[in-house]
Amino acid sequence: MTHPHYILLPVNPLFIVFSFAFAFLLNFLPWGSAMGVPDFVALVLVFWTIHQPRKVGIGVAFAMGLLMDVHDAIHLGENALAYTLLSFFAITIHRRVLWFAPLTQALHVFPLFLFVQSLQIAVRLIVAPDAHFPGWLYFAQSLVTTALWPIAGYLLLAPQRRAIDKDDTRPI
């Protein structure tokens, strides 16, 4: 038996802004050089690009990428390019992804996160020839970000869910 699809309330644009600000602040935490720390901005960006492609798109991705470039103090445009392409590919698959359950959705967005990390490391290796490949453990970030997808989906859709009441006369 499949789970029912509930009708969601319209998303509040201020909640989208708040979720991006909160994800940006989570990326500010002093993780150091720990491997496997998720990219919260990329996670929220993909989520809103898939669920609200008319409100969050490539322009928002570019702006968030520039903010992350300034925060990370890396080559200006590296994250902007990666997030822009991430948003483009998320928009490309957004209709298909929405048909699946959250765990299956995670399997669909995993290649997106892996692509972004591959692009970021490729840009670093091309721009700085003396840079070295950080190893395959570097891509653990994509796995952790993908593992957080169902949790992020539950939290970010929570304000849109309708209250469950027992009024059988209401059509919706």
Side-chain angles (χ1 to χ4, degrees):
M1 177 177 265
T2 62
H3 296 286
H5 291 279
Y6 295 103
I7 297 175
L8 299 174
L9 295 171
V11 65
N12 187 351
L14 290 177
F15 182 70
I16 294 174
V17 171
F18 171 76
S19 64
F20 274 113
F22 187 70
F24 194 65
L25 290 175
L26 283 175
N27 278 359
F28 271 174
L29 291 176
W31 303 105
S33 60
M35 292 289 178
V37 176
D39 188 355
F40 294 103
V41 172
L43 178 66
V44 171
L45 178 69
V46 170
F47 179 83
W48 287 123
T49 304
I50 287 175
H51 284 272
Q52 297 293 327
R54 292 183 182 214
K55 293 184 180 180
V56 178
I58 295 174
V60 173
F62 183 76
M64 291 306 294
L66 286 179
L67 287 173
M68 286 303 298
D69 285 337
V70 171
H71 166 259
D72 291 341
I74 56 175
H75 306 101
L76 189 63
E78 177 182 319
N79 283 322
L81 172 67
Y83 286 173
T84 303
L85 290 174
L86 177 68
S87 177
F88 172 76
F89 290 126
I91 289 171
T92 304
I93 66 168
H94 85 275
R95 289 180 190 246
R96 177 180 31 187
V97 170
L98 291 175
W99 279 97
F100 295 106
L103 291 176
T104 312
Q105 288 178 3
L107 294 176
H108 281 84
V109 298
F110 173 67
L112 297 176
F113 296 131
L114 192 62
F115 170 73
V116 165
Q117 273 202 290
S118 301
L119 183 66
Q120 288 171 336
I121 198 68
V123 168
R124 289 180 195 156
L125 291 175
I126 290 171
V127 171
D130 58 336
H132 64 285
F133 181 71
W136 295 108
L137 193 58
Y138 174 77
F139 295 105
Q141 175 184 357
S142 298
L143 290 171
V144 175
T145 306
T146 303
L148 289 176
W149 179 262
I151 298 168
Y154 180 78
L155 292 175
L156 293 175
L157 285 179
Q160 292 178 267
R161 288 193 182 88
R162 291 186 178 272
I164 299 174
D165 55 354
K166 302 297 180 194
D167 187 10
D168 294 328
T169 61
R170 201 172 72 197
I172 295 178

